Amino acid sequence: MLQKVVLLAIPGVAPFEFGVVCEAFGIDRTDHGGPKFDFTIVTAEPGPVRTSLGYEMMIADGLDEAADADLIAVPAHEIDADVHPDVVRLLQDAAARGAWILSICSGAFTLAKAGLLSGRRATTHWMHADRLARDFPDIDVDPDVLFVEDGNIITGAGTASGIDACLHLIRTELGASAANVVARRMVVPPQRSGGQSQYIATPIPECRSDSFAEVTAWMLENLDQELTVDELARKALMSPRTFARRFKADTGATPGAWLNRQRLLRAQQLLEESSLALDTVAAESGFGTAAVMRHHFSKTLSTTPAAYRRAFCRIPA
């Protein structure tokens, strides 16, 4: 169970990515039905730690506080900074005992220098991916995803994708409802697939946040129906081809992929919060049959609906 979370403050740390981890794990959300973590910020040499913007943060706790952490998070920092040998030992020991290790953006370079990514698949910000691959050729670097989970190590891409990586870990350990509470407080989507592209190459119109709001709201209200591109295009007053093209440009996903993601979230919620039969959950979430739902759970979450319910259901057996 994910309970104790430790955030590493490394000289040259980037404030935004540092703040992402603080926001995801450092706030008590029990008043909204969400999680509360034992959250600590540590550094190799307690005292002032310089940030990438030049100002300093006072960090009181040393690395001893991280010895029994369930998660150690490494935010972005200056790539060329030396990694303190005690940080290397801490990360290696944590990985060996099965604790979660999460990096955001250039934090992957610290994991690489500690030898944790050798022979693994990983990601970092697309601007740094070539260098990570060049400096550490034994790492399978994927430059075009939001985050990668390989065993007990999660590497996130740049800036906002760190939020996705944090929410993914909360969802994996505590379930969709817990992740949804955190996401709602952070005012971000509850789930973006790790395999989603880091950026969309085509220009996005200024009004992208509202252009499909009415259609996507209707889609969420009718997840249990068979929703075709033709029908959705009529709702949007567009041709099917224009709708599909603009929807992907606006949301970063095809209509089908977006629907499957929302249906998976609905199924997770129903499995956590109800005792409905699997066939009923599949029907109400739009998968139609338990077999189809099982396929999507296996493909996306690497588990089955029944196993997911056993792990996260709040209804007493």
Side-chain angles (χ1 to χ4, degrees), residues 92-103:
Q92 291 174 340
D93 291 346
R97 62 182 170 80
W100 285 103
I101 309 292
L102 182 149
S103 70

Side-chain angles (χ1 to χ4, degrees), residues 53-72:
L53 294 182
Y55 66 86
E56 295 181 338
M57 300 185 295
M58 290 298 298
I59 308 298
D61 291 313
L63 300 182
D64 289 347
E65 292 293 322
D68 59 347
D70 301 310
L71 163 66
I72 297 177

Side-chain angles (χ1 to χ4, degrees), residues 78-153:
E78 295 169 353
I79 291 175
D80 292 318
D82 292 331
V83 181
H84 197 289
D86 290 345
V87 170
V88 172
R89 283 192 289 271
L90 172 70
L91 292 173
Q92 291 174 340
D93 291 346
R97 62 182 170 80
W100 285 103
I101 309 292
L102 182 149
S103 70
I104 301 176
C105 192
S106 57
F109 284 81
T110 288
L111 272 55
K113 291 172 184 177
L116 301 189
L117 300 182
S118 179
R120 293 180 184 267
R121 180 168 167 260
T123 193
T124 186
H125 193 291
W126 58 267
M127 291 177 61
H128 307 314
D130 286 346
R131 177 168 177 182
L132 183 64
R134 183 178 66 251
D135 290 356
F136 302 94
D138 57 344
I139 300 174
D140 179 11
V141 180
D142 189 340
D144 194 35
V145 293
L146 297 180
F147 59 85
V148 170
E149 177 185 339
D150 189 325
N152 59 327
I153 296 180

Side-chain angles (χ1 to χ4, degrees), residues 95-235:
R97 62 182 170 80
W100 285 103
I101 309 292
L102 182 149
S103 70
I104 301 176
C105 192
S106 57
F109 284 81
T110 288
L111 272 55
K113 291 172 184 177
L116 301 189
L117 300 182
S118 179
R120 293 180 184 267
R121 180 168 167 260
T123 193
T124 186
H125 193 291
W126 58 267
M127 291 177 61
H128 307 314
D130 286 346
R131 177 168 177 182
L132 183 64
R134 183 178 66 251
D135 290 356
F136 302 94
D138 57 344
I139 300 174
D140 179 11
V141 180
D142 189 340
D144 194 35
V145 293
L146 297 180
F147 59 85
V148 170
E149 177 185 339
D150 189 325
N152 59 327
I153 296 180
I154 297 175
T155 49
T159 55
S161 63
I163 299 174
D164 300 298
C166 291
L167 290 175
H168 168 75
L169 179 53
I170 293 171
R171 186 180 305 106
T172 298
E173 283 285 305
L174 303 179
S177 292
N180 290 348
V181 170
V182 176
R184 191 158 51 245
R185 281 282 299 269
M186 296 177 75
V187 198
V188 295
Q191 182 175 11
R192 289 198 299 170
S193 169
Q196 186 171 323
S197 177
Q198 287 192 27
Y199 63 96
I200 302 168
T202 55
I204 299 175
E206 282 291 322
C207 61
R208 63 188 181 275
S209 61
D210 298 323
S211 57
F212 285 95
E214 186 174 337
V215 173
T216 54
W218 184 83
M219 292 164 75
L220 289 173
E221 292 171 0
N222 293 275
L223 288 178
D224 58 338
Q225 304 298 313
E226 183 178 355
L227 303 178
T228 66
V229 171
D230 287 349
E231 183 178 11
L232 297 172
R234 285 195 296 272
K235 282 279 182 185

